[in-house]
Structure formats: structure tokens, C-alpha cells
Amino acid sequence: MTYLVIDGARVVSAHRTLASARSAETQGLGHSTEAGPPVGGEPAWWTRKRHSSDTTELGILHTDATELGFRFELRACQAPAGTCTHRPCTTYATWAVSRYYRLLSDLAAFVPLSWIWVGQRSGDPRGDAPQFLTEGRALADRLTADMRHPLRVVEQPPADIRTLDDRVQAAHALVVRFLARHFGPSSDLEALVVIRPVLQGQDLHLRLDPSVPDGLPICGTASPGRSVDATRAELGARPCDRCFGRAPIVPSPVLTVAEYEAWTAYIHQSGS
Ligand SMILES: [Zn+2]
Ligand SMILES: [Zn+2]
């Protein structure tokens, strides 16, 4: 699956061909027409106009867009089943980040109320580590096989006497434990996020610290020159509309809860 249809930064379907992705888009989403930069000779993404406003959003993404910094996140709603009324959900937790859509999507199949988000952000390298990929693949394959009812000789007892519900619950628990082992709180990547203003020429951008290396600002503008640490009151500087939340960021970044909270708190500080 190479072409992903995106709605609100959330992957809604995966397709082998562009034509198939395009036809899935027409069902209420609208067409993506504006092509992004090429990766391997093909556009890395296409954007579509939002119905209600002049802004555009990510519409179709080529999975090779990870070359340009896109990452997938497995997110799961943390509200008790059936009680989440947020659209979109605001009580999610990010359980895994990776450049490999297929693996996250296969694991998400065993996690109720989960989905895959996509956006341009720095790599959390744990989801690209060979050990995570190998073990994750093996786990997803094993659990997928577990869900099938094997054919058996009538006279013999079944090899696996668990009901399908039991297997679903066991699979969920295994995936949760697996992801917790690889993305658990051993790392405090999300513990404390600080917003740092940086000056590129006369443009004042905002950078997340930690989680975005190389000083890449929230808007994703890569600086041709050096960016230097600054204060928000830098003399004569123009605050970047996108970093400061005054213009849409397309494609939208995927912010973790900690990042999002730090960012919104920062831009709402008095005097901005
Ligand atoms: Zn929710
Ligand atoms: Zn910016």
C-alpha cells in the first residue's frame, strides 16, 4: 500500500494505486489536486482545499514521503470505550512513532479506538530501530494468524480453544505491552517540552525542545542560514505566522499532547 488518503492528518485508507486513492477521496472528502515536492520521481503528497475555508490540507500521501520527514503515529483514545465525543479526539495517547506505515497500521488493528496520524515532525528513532521492526512484524503476523479459525479434523480437539473474543483481548494486551516496552517512559522525550524562539534572518520562528533536532522550527521551514536563539521580543523581528499559530500549517505537524500544550501556552502568553 503506497498511497494513503488523509483526512485531518489522520490516515483513513491505504491504496495500491493513485487512481484507487483518488476514487476513495471523492466519497465526501473532495479531490486533492495540488502536488507537493517529488520523491523518487512522484509527488510526495497532494493537498486538497478544505470545504469551509480557504485553507488546504494534506489529502493523499505517498508512503515514501517519510524521506521528507513525515512520520506516522499510532494514537489511541484513552477515554472509556464509547464515551469519547470529541471530533477529533483530544484524549488520545501516542503509542508509537515510525516511518513505517504498514507496521503501525497492522498493530493498530489490534488496538480498539486507535488510528494512524501522519505529519511532518522529527524522528523519534525508536520506531525505526531494526529490533522494533523485526519484533513488531513477527508479533503482527502471529496475532493475525491467531485471529483465523484454523480448519481441523472433526475428531480432534482444536489446538486453540480460546473464543475469538478471548483472542482479541489477548492480542490487544500483547500489542500494548510490546509498544510500552519499546516506547515506554524509559525515555522522557515527552516529559518536558520547552518552546524556544529562534531567529532566521529577521524571521522569528518557534522550535520545540526536545523532539525537533537541528533547530527545525514548528512550521518546518529549513533555514538556509544559521538560526540563532532569540527572545520573543527580538527587535524588528517578524514572528512567523505559522509557528505562532496565525496561519494554517500545511501539512499540519503532528504534535504530542505535551508539545501541543507547550506550544499553545507559549503563543497565548500575554504580550504576543
Ligand atoms: Zn477519544
Ligand atoms: Zn516558522
Side-chain angles (χ1 to χ4, degrees), residues 204-206 217 219 221 240 242-243:
L204 189 64
H205 295 278
L206 298 179
C219 64
T221 305
C240 166
R242 292 186 293 161
C243 283

Side-chain angles (χ1 to χ4, degrees), residues 180-204:
R181 186 152 53 80
H182 285 273
F183 289 91
S186 61
S187 148
D188 52 4
L189 272 180
E190 290 205 15
L192 180 68
V193 179
V194 178
I195 305 297
R196 300 201 186 286
V198 289
L199 203 55
Q200 295 180 357
Q202 282 305 101
D203 292 325
L204 189 64

Side-chain angles (χ1 to χ4, degrees), residues 218-250:
I218 289 171
C219 64
T221 305
S223 166
R226 256 169 55 80
S227 58
V228 292
D229 286 337
T231 70
R232 61 190 290 142
E234 206 68 45
L235 212 60
R238 290 181 300 263
C240 166
D241 272 352
R242 292 186 293 161
C243 283
F244 281 80
R246 294 180 298 212
I249 299 176
V250 179

Side-chain angles (χ1 to χ4, degrees), residues 104-123:
L104 290 196
S105 152
D106 285 354
L107 291 172
F110 301 104
V111 181
L113 302 176
S114 68
W115 63 93
I116 306 294
W117 273 64
V118 62
Q120 225 168 359
R121 58 180 288 120
S122 64

Side-chain angles (χ1 to χ4, degrees), residues 76-79 84-86 88-92 113 115:
C77 178
Q78 300 300 287
C84 176
T85 54
H86 308 107
C89 174
T90 56
T91 52
Y92 63 86
L113 302 176
W115 63 93

